Amino acid sequence: MKLKLLVLPAVVAASLMLSGCSTPSVVTLQDGTQYITKDAPKTKSRDGFCEFEDISGKTIRIKADEVATVRPEE
């Protein structure tokens, strides 16, 4: 019985933390192209690229210089 009382709050806390991790964003390029992402994109990497996954599940890598803005989706 005590195990159930300890597990339930842990499961609830873990699910709340995981649901808060996803932050859909809109990435706008210099040419006006917009991508809606599943999660906040990884910022500029060592090789100068920005990488993210769009809502269709496709991984996109773009030169960081081509990115105009990254903002949360409203």
Side-chain angles (χ1 to χ4, degrees):
M1 183 68 178
K2 288 183 182 182
L3 183 60
K4 287 184 181 179
L5 292 175
L6 294 175
V7 172
L8 182 61
V11 170
V12 170
S15 65
L16 288 174
M17 288 182 354
L18 288 175
S19 67
C21 291
S22 180
T23 308
S25 302
V26 177
V27 177
T28 305
L29 304 183
Q30 296 290 346
D31 66 2
T33 304
Q34 290 187 334
Y35 293 97
I36 299 174
T37 68
K38 289 183 175 183
D39 204 0
K42 294 179 185 174
T43 55
K44 189 175 180 179
S45 62
R46 290 184 198 165
D47 58 358
F49 282 82
C50 183
E51 186 173 315
F52 54 89
E53 187 175 325
D54 68 3
I55 56 173
S56 68
K58 182 178 177 184
T59 300
I60 299 176
R61 283 178 45 101
I62 297 175
K63 286 186 180 180
D65 296 342
E66 295 178 18
V67 176
T69 60
V70 177
R71 62 178 172 79
E73 183 183 31
E74 296 174 357

